Amino acid sequence: MARVITITSGKGGVGKTTTTANLGTALAMRGARVAVMDADIGLRNLDVVMGLENRIVYDLVDVVEGRARLRQALIKDKRLPELCLLPAAQTRDKDAVSPEQMVYLTNQLRTEFDFILIDSPAGIEGGFRNAIVGADEVIIVTTPEVSAVRDADRIVGLVEAAEKGTPSLIVNRIKPRLVNRGEMLSVEDVIELLAINLLGIVPDDEAIVTSTNRGEAAVYDQHSLAGRAFLNIARRLNGEEVPFLPLQDQPGVLERFFGIFGRRRT
Amino acid sequence: MGFLGNLFGGGRRDRSASVAKQRLMMVLVDDRYKLTPDMLEQMKIEMAEVLSRYLPHVDSDQIEVTLLRGEANDHLKAEIPLKRGRDE
């Protein structure tokens, strides 16, 4: 039974596309047949994050408008044969697709894949609504910042109003040192404010920058903390109980000097 | 907070994370229920008025109203300290 999961956030730039690419890759690494769909029509990005931008021939709008069959538009991942990307159109706008067409498209994908991950555009307008209309579950990505949390709360309400159940939460770009100093909202604070179930905690990690530069998912990088966090989230999506990673401080100069004071866990 | 935190500026002013949390709580109440800080203040004053009919020494400035988000429902929690005055 296929699962359609939409990754959304309200605010832009919090890591939806990175999350979609990494979860899709992680699920496929574990043997699932996965399609990742870029629903951000007009601002396509999932292709470059996954390093597949040179392989695009047809896109989502071509399929919807009948210029291409779904199978022609799906791009196979470079490494994982069970992972496919359905790219967004770059030259059209979000009104190019109707909610009914999105439902039809996701239902077509259901017959061929175990997981369909939809990368939602930012905002609360048509593009967002199209991204959730065919979903069984919704994941909200937020960062521990007031603007992102506020927007996430708005999205929780809209997802519930659309009768998609209560979304689950990924808190991205946590900086344990700042949290320990009381200068960044903790994961507990964010959960208390939003009151939805926590699916994962992803630490701030420079490896995301380098992996995105190369168009390779961070889950391939054994040393990337964020990559490991995404692998764990993929396991949780598969129903496994996986404890949250302890967030180790990167000790600062002074704290390193004092040694024992420098290491704390959250 | 830890040793260094205490040494350098601990307690000097509120940590920004707790400021952020407090501000967010207010903003989310407003977003979800269209309850502005002004309306919240007015609500406290009126609550104090009603309560004063039954209890002496209720001060609207002392009332703390917070919104708690639950699984199914949100809760508005009011903390109303009562001055321990035996009839003066």
Side-chain angles (χ1 to χ4, degrees):
Chain A
M1 185 67 181
R3 286 164 71 189
V4 180
I5 306 174
T6 298
I7 291 108
T8 190
S9 68
K11 187 176 180 298
V14 298
K16 284 180 297 295
T17 303
T18 303
T19 300
T20 308
N22 277 285
L23 290 185
T25 306
L27 286 165
M29 283 165 82
R30 300 178 59 77
R33 296 170 300 163
V34 183
V36 291
M37 183 201 295
D38 190 344
D40 200 348
I41 293 164
L43 291 170
R44 122 172 134 202
N45 269 325
L46 188 54
D47 56 331
V48 278
V49 171
M50 296 179 74
L52 299 172
E53 67 275 17
N54 292 328
R55 304 183 180 202
I56 296 177
V57 182
Y58 296 110
D59 58 49
L60 191 156
V61 176
D62 290 325
V63 176
V64 163
E65 296 182 348
R67 279 186 300 276
R69 285 196 304 277
L70 180 58
R71 200 162 294 182
Q72 293 175 292
L74 285 168
I75 300 159
K76 272 203 164 51
D77 183 62
K78 285 179 285 191
R79 299 202 211 181
L80 298 164
E82 301 287 11
L83 176 62
C84 287
L85 164 72
L86 181 59
Q90 179 68 339
T91 53
R92 301 291 294 273
D93 66 39
K94 58 183 184 297
D95 302 321
V97 181
S98 73
E100 293 74 25
Q101 288 169 324
M102 279 301 279
V103 172
Y104 183 75
L105 196 59
T106 47
N107 284 342
Q108 270 186 290
L109 288 165
R110 280 176 199 272
T111 61
E112 313 249 348
F113 296 94
D114 302 312
F115 285 95
I116 297 109
L117 304 186
I118 302 176
D119 184 17
S120 158
I124 56 172
E125 286 102 32
F128 156 73
R129 290 177 189 280
N130 274 347
I132 63 166
V133 68
D136 306 315
E137 304 160 45
V138 177
I139 297 173
I140 294 182
V141 181
T142 191
T143 56
E145 292 156 285
V146 285
S147 50
V149 173
R150 182 191 196 176
D151 289 0
D153 186 71
R154 196 72 212 287
I155 294 292
V156 174
L158 292 172
V159 170
E160 286 175 346
E163 296 182 345
K164 295 294 174 188
T166 302
S168 55
L169 182 71
I170 294 176
V171 183
N172 193 18
R173 293 205 205 115
I174 273 277
K175 299 184 180 187
R177 279 193 68 206
L178 278 185
V179 173
N180 283 341
R181 279 177 11 217
E183 306 292 3
M184 177 177 264
L185 288 168
S186 67
V187 173
E188 293 74 22
D189 291 334
V190 177
I191 296 167
E192 194 189 325
L193 286 159
L194 297 177
I196 58 177
N197 281 334
L198 182 66
L199 179 63
I201 306 167
V202 183
D204 190 52
D205 185 353
E206 289 176 4
I208 291 292
V209 178
T210 54
S211 68
T212 306
N213 285 345
R214 294 181 197 284
E216 289 167 3
V219 288
Y220 287 121
D221 181 352
Q222 307 258 318
H223 304 291
S224 164
L225 273 180
R228 274 162 55 196
F230 283 123
L231 280 172
N232 283 349
I233 294 168
R235 290 170 63 193
R236 288 185 201 113
L237 282 175
N238 266 326
E240 279 183 59
E241 289 221 5
V242 187
F244 293 106
L245 285 178
L247 296 175
Q248 191 79 50
D249 278 5
Q250 304 282 322
V253 177
L254 267 175
E255 288 169 326
R256 217 176 288 154
F257 180 73
F258 283 103
I260 57 165
F261 300 109
R263 294 211 165 162
R264 274 168 249 113
R265 279 158 187 268
T266 51
Chain B
M1 183 171 303
F3 171 73
L4 286 163
N6 287 331
L7 205 64
F8 300 122
R12 196 175 43 187
R13 51 189 288 222
D14 283 353
R15 296 282 163 194
S16 67
S18 64
V19 176
K21 194 176 172 187
Q22 286 306 317
R23 289 176 58 221
L24 267 169
M25 281 180 163
M26 297 301 295
V27 168
L28 296 190
V29 175
D30 189 13
D31 287 353
R32 288 174 197 157
Y33 300 99
K34 312 275 172 258
L35 195 61
T36 63
D38 281 352
M39 285 160 67
L40 202 62
E41 272 316 299
Q42 187 58 33
M43 198 167 79
K44 286 183 194 176
I45 291 166
E46 289 178 28
M47 281 167 72
E49 274 171 25
V50 173
L51 290 163
S52 298
R53 288 181 215 152
Y54 303 94
L55 297 157
H57 314 304
V58 177
D59 183 352
S60 70
D61 291 341
Q62 299 292 310
I63 298 179
E64 260 191 55
V65 177
T66 35
L67 185 97
L68 304 171
R69 184 152 185 170
E71 283 294 309
N73 290 301
D74 294 339
H75 301 270
L76 201 60
K77 188 182 84 173
E79 268 183 65
I80 304 152
L82 301 174
K83 281 184 211 156
R84 197 172 295 170
R86 298 194 179 90
D87 292 333
E88 284 146 42

